[in-house]
């Protein structure tokens, strides 16, 4: 950096030209991200519910994030929460929040004391699967079982259940099966009817098809995300911090 040394030990003063160059570089980076996002096709109908529109925009942001990498190595680094903090913010912060809104829409949470959490829906789906599906390492049942064991001993609160939901999304992305799992959950009619109102997003075949179509492009990206990110000393309430060699989902 260009600096002017102050007289008699005064603090160095940054050259104004240096500051201008930094501002121009930041503006160019913003324009590049905007241009990349504009190239992404939007398969959303004008009448799509707000949670679905939000999901589409988040997926576009993830695509723009990976578009920064022009080599296989660069893409791998962009998809790893060991090497890139932005991917944690995009997935655990934005993508999971968008999907959480979708799964809370029309969810039958009421019960005699307290309320049900959407994690109950995923556990019901696990229990309803055939034995052959429950034993597959790529099955929803196996993922739910693994995540429950991983969070065993943690407080049985909604915050912990939210963390389990985010871990499930991370698991699905790492194995490239998120869109497949969403389709399988939608096709499990008895469980969907049990947990969702007739007017919910989850009970609309057209909207469910839109959601699956929106998620499908994520299969092409090399996500390497730690399942135990939130139980290894990380605080997502005050911002994402760089993880310390947390293990990723094993394939």
């Amino acid at each position: 950096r260009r600096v002017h040394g102050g007289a008699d030990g005064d603090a160095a003063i940054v050259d104004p030209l240096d500051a201008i160059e930094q501002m121009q570089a930041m503006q160019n980076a913003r324009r590049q991200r905007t241009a990349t996002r504009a190239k992404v096709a939007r398969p959303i109908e004008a009448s799509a519910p707000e949670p679905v529109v939000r999901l589409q925009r988040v997926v576009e942001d993830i695509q723009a994030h990976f578009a920064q990498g022009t080599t296989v190595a660069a893409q791998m680094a962009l998809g790893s929460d060991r090497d890139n903090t932005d991917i944690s913010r995009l997935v655990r912060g934005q993508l999971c929040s968008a999907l959480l809104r979708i799964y809370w829409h029309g969810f039958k949470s009421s019960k005699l004391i307290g309320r049900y959490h959407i994690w109950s829906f995923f556990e019901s789906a696990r229990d309803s699967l055939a034995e052959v599906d429950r034993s597959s390492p790529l099955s929803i049942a196996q993922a739910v079982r693994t995540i429950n064991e991983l969070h065993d001993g943690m407080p049985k609160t909604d915050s912990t259940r939210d963390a389990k939901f985010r871990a499930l999304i991370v698991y699905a992305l790492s194995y490239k099966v998120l869109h497949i799992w969403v389709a399988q959950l939608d096709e499990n009619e008895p469980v969907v009817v049990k947990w969702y109102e007739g007017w919910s997003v989850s009970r609309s075949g057209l909207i469910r098809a839109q959601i699956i179509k929106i998620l499908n492009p994520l299969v092409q990206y090399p996500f390497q995300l730690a399942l135990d990110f939130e139980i290894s000393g990380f605080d997502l309430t005050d911002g994402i911090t760089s993880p310390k060699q947390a293990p990723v989902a094993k394939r």
Side-chain angles (χ1 to χ4, degrees):
R1 298 175 65 184
R2 294 185 293 272
V3 298
H4 296 301
D8 300 324
D10 290 344
I13 301 174
V14 177
D15 191 318
L17 292 177
D18 198 17
I20 292 173
E21 289 176 357
Q22 290 181 18
M23 291 178 61
Q24 290 175 337
M26 293 173 62
Q27 291 173 350
N28 290 337
R30 282 196 295 268
R31 281 195 292 268
Q32 183 178 3
R33 288 195 297 269
T34 301
T36 301
R37 180 172 174 174
K39 293 178 182 178
V40 179
R42 295 190 175 187
I44 291 184
E45 300 291 341
S47 59
E50 186 276 336
V52 180
V53 174
R54 181 177 179 179
L55 177 65
Q56 173 67 47
R57 291 172 179 167
V58 171
V59 170
E60 289 174 1
D61 286 342
I62 293 175
Q63 290 177 287
H65 170 77
F66 278 102
Q68 300 174 73
T70 57
T71 65
V72 173
Q75 291 255 317
M76 294 287 285
L78 287 167
S80 170
D81 54 11
R82 295 182 180 180
D83 303 319
N84 192 287
T85 57
D86 285 342
I87 195 62
S88 289
R89 173 182 56 81
L90 287 167
V91 171
R92 293 186 176 87
Q94 297 184 20
L95 180 63
C96 289
S97 293
L99 289 169
L100 200 64
R101 287 169 64 88
I102 286 172
Y103 280 108
W104 270 115
H105 187 268
F107 180 72
K108 299 176 182 178
S109 60
S110 299
K111 62 179 179 178
L112 187 60
I113 299 176
R115 68 169 189 167
Y116 291 107
H117 189 275
I118 60 168
W119 189 247
S120 297
F121 165 66
F122 293 98
E123 291 189 323
S124 290
R126 173 201 62 188
D127 295 338
S128 69
L129 292 172
E131 182 62 36
V132 63
D133 294 323
R134 292 201 297 268
S135 62
S136 170
L138 297 183
S139 73
I140 298 171
Q142 181 61 42
V144 170
R145 183 182 302 110
T146 298
I147 291 166
N148 277 338
E149 291 174 354
L150 188 64
H151 291 77
D152 188 35
M154 294 187 67
K156 298 184 183 300
T157 62
D158 281 355
S159 294
T160 297
R161 297 180 188 102
D162 284 345
K164 287 183 178 182
F165 175 80
R166 288 189 287 268
L168 184 69
I169 303 305
V170 163
Y171 192 111
L173 287 173
S174 295
Y175 281 103
K176 301 182 184 297
V177 292
L178 179 57
H179 62 297
I180 297 174
W181 284 3
V182 170
Q184 288 179 338
L185 289 167
D186 290 343
E187 293 168 359
N188 197 332
E189 196 69 19
V191 175
V192 172
V193 170
K194 174 184 176 181
W195 289 104
Y196 286 93
E197 303 288 355
W199 47 266
S200 67
V201 166
S202 296
R203 295 280 295 274
S204 169
L206 178 61
I207 297 176
R208 292 185 324 213
Q210 284 184 322
I211 293 170
I212 294 167
K213 185 176 182 180
I214 290 169
L215 294 174
N216 188 62
L218 297 180
V219 72
Q220 65 186 297
Y221 300 117
F223 293 96
Q224 299 182 79
L225 306 168
L227 285 180
D228 64 348
F229 188 95
E230 296 188 53
I231 57 176
S232 299
F234 300 97
D235 184 2
L236 297 182
T237 61
D238 295 323
I240 303 296
T241 57
S242 180
K244 300 177 182 178
Q245 300 298 314
V248 299
K250 295 181 179 180
R251 301 183 184 179

